Amino acid sequence: DAKTTQPTSMDCAEGRAANLPCNHSTISGNEYVYWYRQIHSQGPQYIIHGLKNNETNEMASLIITEDRKSSTLILPHATLRDTAVYYCIVRVGTSGTYKYIFGTGTRLKVLA
Amino acid sequence: DAGVIQSPRHEVTEMGQEVTLRCKPISGHNSLFWYRQTMMRGLELLIYFNNNVPIDDSGMPEDRFSAKMPNASFSTLKIQPSEPRDSAVYFCASRYTTPGQGAKSGNTIYFGEGSWLTVV
């Protein structure tokens, strides 16, 4: 079972920041949070991941609360091409046995 | 760099036929995952391998499904006999893991474009 819960859908205006929340209240101390997105009919695409510190890369920023029970993915300037399903995943297991269990994700629609 | 390569991209088959899906992971990756995606159940992890050895097959739905990884560059997912409820997109993903390594970028999994299976 997925260890994350996300809103089913969200809309965002083009050019504005998209903030996608994720709850992972049962996360363990050594479990990482990963974000992937899936554009229709394509394979899921890696976006970003983190443990406890906030992370930023060329695609997005990841803000993790101090208690690690939730996180937010931020797309700073959403474009129409960012319309996709966004998955927040907690990686479970130990080295050599890691599993990535996907939940239902958030369907983000970027509006012109 | 070639990504994860899956074949066939699309297959339509009749109920009762054997279906074989193939996956070539990214060169150098030592973990491989098979997922299935449907509208009803979303993305489900079926099985994954580490260094060609099946680690967890608890997601394999039933005995009609089997997966093999004879070497580091090839894996198959077989359904025999196929049924209409097996219609789905099957994704393969791979990752490189160094034992004891933390979740640096090397532990990110990369997906193929999927095999779209329709069983009629």
Side-chain angles (χ1 to χ4, degrees), chain A residues 14-83:
Chain A
E14 188 179 20
R16 304 296 293 270
N19 296 281
L20 293 94
C22 178
N23 286 323
H24 30 80
S25 58
T26 61
I27 195 170
S28 299
N30 62 346
E31 291 176 337
Y32 282 71
V33 178
Y34 282 71
W35 283 83
Y36 280 75
R37 73 179 183 184
Q38 187 175 25
I39 297 170
H40 180 63
S41 81
Q42 298 181 16
Q45 175 191 24
Y46 166 79
I47 301 173
I48 199 167
H49 72 279
L51 180 63
K52 59 176 87 172
N53 297 323
N54 297 337
E55 303 286 343
T56 295
N57 63 20
E58 65 278 5
M59 290 181 70
S61 295
L62 174 61
I63 309 298
I64 302 174
T65 58
E66 194 167 336
D67 63 8
R68 302 213 323 119
K69 293 183 184 300
S70 65
S71 61
T72 301
L73 178 75
I74 300 172
L75 307 178
H77 305 286
T79 70
L80 298 178
R81 287 181 301 220
D82 293 323
T83 293

Side-chain angles (χ1 to χ4, degrees), chain A residues 36 38 49 95 97 99-100, chain B residues 35 37 48 56 100 103 107 109:
Chain A
Y36 280 75
Q38 187 175 25
H49 72 279
S95 180
T97 65
K99 296 201 298 188
Y100 302 75
Chain B
Y35 286 84
Q37 187 172 36
Y48 73 99
D56 186 340
N107 280 290
I109 59 172

